[in-house]
C-alpha cells in the first residue's frame, strides 16, 4: 500500500491481470489501494471504470488497474513493554508472507533499536523473533515516534514500490519530542503505508510519576495524532484490540489484505494546474470499501 511511486511514470503495457484504458500511454502516477467487500474478502477483476480518483477535488482519468504484484518491504516496530505479546502473531504474519516480502524488526526499549535489517531469510528473522520474548519492561513508555520517523526516512532514501511500516504497541507514555507534523511529513516523503495495531485499554504498561506534565501532554498528543492520521494519510490501517487474543487474527487479516486485496491504480496527471497533495480514491462498485492514501508523497 505504498501510496505512490517515488517519481511520475508512464503506465506499463497491458499484461496478465492488467486492465487499461485507451489512453494508457499518458503520463501517470500510481496509487496502491486495498479493496474489500463487506466481508473483507478480495474483489477480483476490477477495471479503470471501477475507480474514481480525485486530486485536489478534481477528477483524474484512471488509465490502468492491475493487481499489486511487486514484492513487499515491511518495517516492523514492536512496542510491547517487554511482555513478548506480539512475538507469536508476528511470526505467523511473516510466515504467511514468506517469499513475497522482506522485513526489518525493531523494538522500543526507551529508544527504538533495530534487531535485524531488511531480510527474507527465515533463520535471521527467527533469531530476531527470539529477542521479542519476555524481557525487562519499559514502564514509562518510549520513543515510538522516533522509530516510525526513522523507518520513514530509510524508505525515503531507499524507495521501493510497496513499502509498509507496522507499529505494534501496548500504549503508554511517549517520550519523543518530535512534533506530529514532522513525522507525518517524513511518512509522506517515504511513500510508505503506516499500519497500527494497538492493544487498547491495556494494563500491560503501568504509569510512573510525571515530572513534566505539560511537555508529556504534548508528546502524547503528537503520538496520538500520528497513530490516528498516519494510517489515513498513507493508505494504511489501524486496529484497536481489547483482548490480546485478537492479535493473531488482526495480523493475519493484514497479511491477507497485502497479498490478495491490493490494486495498483494508475491515473493521469493534470497539466498546467496548481499542484495539490490531496488525493481521494474510491470505488464505483456497490458494497466495496477502499483504503488508499489521502496525501500524495513529495517524491
Amino acid at each position: 500500500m505504498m501510496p505512490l511511486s517515488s517519481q511520475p511514470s508512464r503506465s506499463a503495457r497491458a499484461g496478465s491481470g492488467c486492465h487499461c484504458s485507451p489512453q494508457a500511454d499518458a503520463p501517470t502516477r500510481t496509487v496502491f489501494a486495498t479493496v474489500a467487500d463487506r466481508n473483507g474478502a478480495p474483489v477480483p477483476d476490477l477495471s479503470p471504470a471501477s475507480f474514481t480518483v480525485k486530486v485536489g477535488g478534481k477528477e483524474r482519468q484512471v488509465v490502468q488497474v492491475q493487481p499489486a504484484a511487486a514484492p513487499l518491504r515491511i518495517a516492523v516496530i514492536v512496542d510491547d513493554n517487554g511482555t513478548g505479546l506480539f512475538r507469536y502473531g508476528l511470526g505467523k504474519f511473516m510466515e504467511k508472507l514468506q517469499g513475497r516480502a522482506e522485513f526489518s524488526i525493531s523494538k522500543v526499549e526507551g529508544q527504538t533499536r533495530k534487531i535485524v535489517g531488511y531480510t527474507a531469510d527465515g533463520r535471521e528473522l527467527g533469531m530476531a523473533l527470539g529477542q521479542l520474548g519476555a524481557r525487562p519492561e519499559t514502564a514509562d513508555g518510549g520513543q515510538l515516534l522516533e522509530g516510525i520517523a526513522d523507518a520513514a526516512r530509510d524508505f525515503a532514501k531507499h524507495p521501493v514500490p510497496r513499502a509498509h511500516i507496522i507499529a505494534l504497541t501496548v500504549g503508554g507514555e511517549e517520550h519523543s519530542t518530535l512534533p506530529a507534523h514532522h513525522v507525518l511529513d517524513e511518512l509522506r516523503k517515504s511513500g510508505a503505508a503506516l499500519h497500527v495495531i494497538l492493544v487498547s485499554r491495556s494494563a500491560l504498561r503501568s504509569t510512573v510519576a510525571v515530572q513534566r506534565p505539560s511537555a508529556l501532554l504534548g508528546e502524547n498528543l503528537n503520538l496520538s495524532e500520528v497513530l490516528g492520521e498516519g494510517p489515513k494519510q498513507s493508505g494504511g490501517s489501524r486496529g484497536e484490540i481489547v483482548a490480546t487474543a485478537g492479535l493473531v487474527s488482526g495480523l493475519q487479516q493484514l497479511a491477507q489484505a497485502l497479498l490478495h486485496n491490493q490494486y495498483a491504480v494508475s491515473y493521469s496527471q493534470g497539466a498546467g494546474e496548481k499542484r495539490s497533495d490531496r488525493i481521494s480514491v474510491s470505488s464505483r462498485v456497490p458494497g466495496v470499501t477502499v483504503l488508499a492514501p489521502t496525501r500524495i508523497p513529495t517524491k
Side-chain angles (χ1 to χ4, degrees), residues 1-2 32 34 67-70 72-74 93 96-97 100-101 103 162-166 193 195 235-237 251-263:
M1 273 183 302
M2 172 184 160
F32 288 92
T34 303
L72 297 152
R73 178 171 285 184
I74 302 172
F93 171 79
K96 191 172 184 67
L97 293 174
R100 297 286 300 276
F103 306 87
R162 297 175 73 194
H164 299 265
I165 300 170
I166 299 177
H195 307 271
S237 60
L251 283 165
Q252 288 294 293
Q253 289 170 12
L254 177 56
Q256 165 76 14
L258 295 177
L259 283 174
H260 303 296
N261 292 43
Q262 287 201 311
Y263 282 91

Side-chain angles (χ1 to χ4, degrees), residues 78-101:
V78 177
D79 177 30
D80 65 355
N81 191 33
T83 60
L85 176 68
F86 298 108
R87 181 172 65 171
Y88 178 75
L90 182 56
K92 299 298 288 184
F93 171 79
M94 292 190 297
E95 182 179 297
K96 191 172 184 67
L97 293 174
Q98 187 174 9
R100 297 286 300 276

